[in-house]
Amino acid sequence: MMRRVMRGFLLAVVLLAGCASGQGDPAAAAGDVPSRIDARLALANAYYADGKYAIALQEAERVLQLAPQHADALGLRGLALWQLGESDRALDSLRLALRADPGSAALQNNIGWMMCESGKAAQGLSYLDSALSQRRYASPANAAMNAGQCSLRLGDSARAESYFRRALASEPSMVPAQAQLARLAVGRGDYAAARLPMLAVLGSGQAIADDYAIAVRIERQLGDRIAEQSLVSQWQRRFPDSPQLRAYQRGQINEQ
């Protein structure tokens, strides 16, 4: 059964300031070096947010020409390199950023996730735990989600569940955390525990076809045929051509 594609929560380390499509070049208009750095970072972040990673990388590099140890620019360069598929260079840039600003929880989150994605999950978890240990961190739910996914890569479902619950404690409406908790409960055969988080996913407006397949499986295992048929009707309205629905209609629902 096709599973939800779980993406890491990579966080930009500079606040957006301005739009990349604006007229003129604010960096050129700025006179002093600090103002030029701020303007370039604003451009880099705006381009990154718009998915223009190569241009964001260029702008970050321009900042680093002015301030080679600028942690935010190094961090943003790492994010852009990661999106461009240059994982080794991305990690190197983030390590330099973290050396320049060792207390940055956002940098710790980003490098932790990248290490998890690069086959170094145990090392990545140490960075994510460090980010989570900082009380002033503004996005603990994101780091907790990354730590949960990292734990799954290590085959530690119990630890992953604790992180997903921690993410929900910080952000109760976090759909990916609800989806993962439901899947973990299904995986251990606890369909009663899986029901509520999966219904929360379906009610969020962010459900995918696979979520409906799992929700229908849950209701069938719990013996609630009325709820099952209600979910099937929703599934048909939202994803009428999904391969999961066609498999269900052919009687190929996974009962395991």
Side-chain angles (χ1 to χ4, degrees):
M1 183 176 290
M2 186 177 71
R3 298 180 65 82
R4 175 188 301 272
V5 176
M6 299 299 299
R7 300 184 183 277
F9 292 85
L10 297 174
L11 305 177
V13 294
V14 187
L15 293 177
L16 296 180
C19 177
S21 61
Q23 295 181 348
D25 184 346
D32 61 292
V33 171
S35 296
R36 289 165 64 194
I37 288 173
D38 290 344
R40 287 291 179 198
L41 280 173
L43 281 173
N45 271 277
Y47 281 122
Y48 183 87
D50 200 33
K52 298 176 181 178
Y53 305 122
I55 304 176
L57 176 60
Q58 292 174 3
E59 293 298 337
E61 295 283 12
R62 289 176 179 175
V63 173
L64 292 170
Q65 290 174 2
L66 299 170
Q69 303 302 317
H70 198 291
D72 289 348
L74 288 165
L76 187 57
R77 182 179 70 178
L79 292 180
L81 286 167
W82 181 263
Q83 297 292 353
L84 292 168
E86 298 192 45
S87 57
D88 290 341
R89 290 183 63 201
L91 280 166
D92 287 343
S93 191
L94 280 169
R95 288 188 185 100
L96 289 173
L98 197 57
R99 189 179 305 167
D101 185 6
S104 171
L107 287 171
Q108 290 167 343
N109 172 72
N110 290 345
I111 194 171
W113 173 247
M114 288 183 188
M115 293 188 82
C116 289
E117 285 285 281
S118 301
K120 301 175 182 176
Q123 293 172 267
L125 266 178
S126 68
Y127 283 97
L128 294 167
D129 282 333
S130 183
L132 286 166
S133 70
Q134 300 191 37
R135 294 182 179 179
R136 294 185 179 181
Y137 185 27
S139 304
N142 293 336
M145 275 300 303
N146 287 340
Q149 294 176 54
C150 202
S151 297
L152 289 178
R153 291 176 180 273
L154 291 170
D156 193 339
S157 297
R159 188 175 184 182
E161 182 170 346
S162 70
Y163 283 122
F164 295 138
R165 291 194 183 282
R166 185 168 180 177
L168 282 176
S170 296
E171 192 174 322
S173 61
M174 194 170 217
V175 173
Q178 297 278 18
Q180 288 287 29
L181 286 176
R183 282 162 170 74
L184 287 171
V186 167
R188 63 176 182 268
D190 190 348
Y191 294 96
R195 175 185 253 169
L196 285 180
M198 185 51 71
L199 288 178
V201 173
L202 298 187
S204 70
Q206 301 177 40
I208 60 176
D210 195 44
D211 294 325
Y212 279 94
I214 293 174
V216 166
R217 175 181 164 192
I218 290 168
E219 296 303 335
R220 175 169 289 194
Q221 289 289 339
L222 293 174
D224 193 334
R225 293 302 175 124
I226 294 176
E228 178 184 345
Q229 289 307 310
S230 175
L231 290 173
V232 170
S233 296
Q234 296 175 39
W235 193 3
Q236 290 171 328
R237 288 195 300 270
R238 291 205 58 195
F239 302 101
D241 300 319
S242 68
Q244 298 94 331
L245 178 60
R246 290 197 296 270
Y248 171 82
Q249 290 169 334
R250 292 194 301 267
Q252 295 175 354
I253 190 168
N254 185 354
E255 299 286 0
Q256 300 299 316

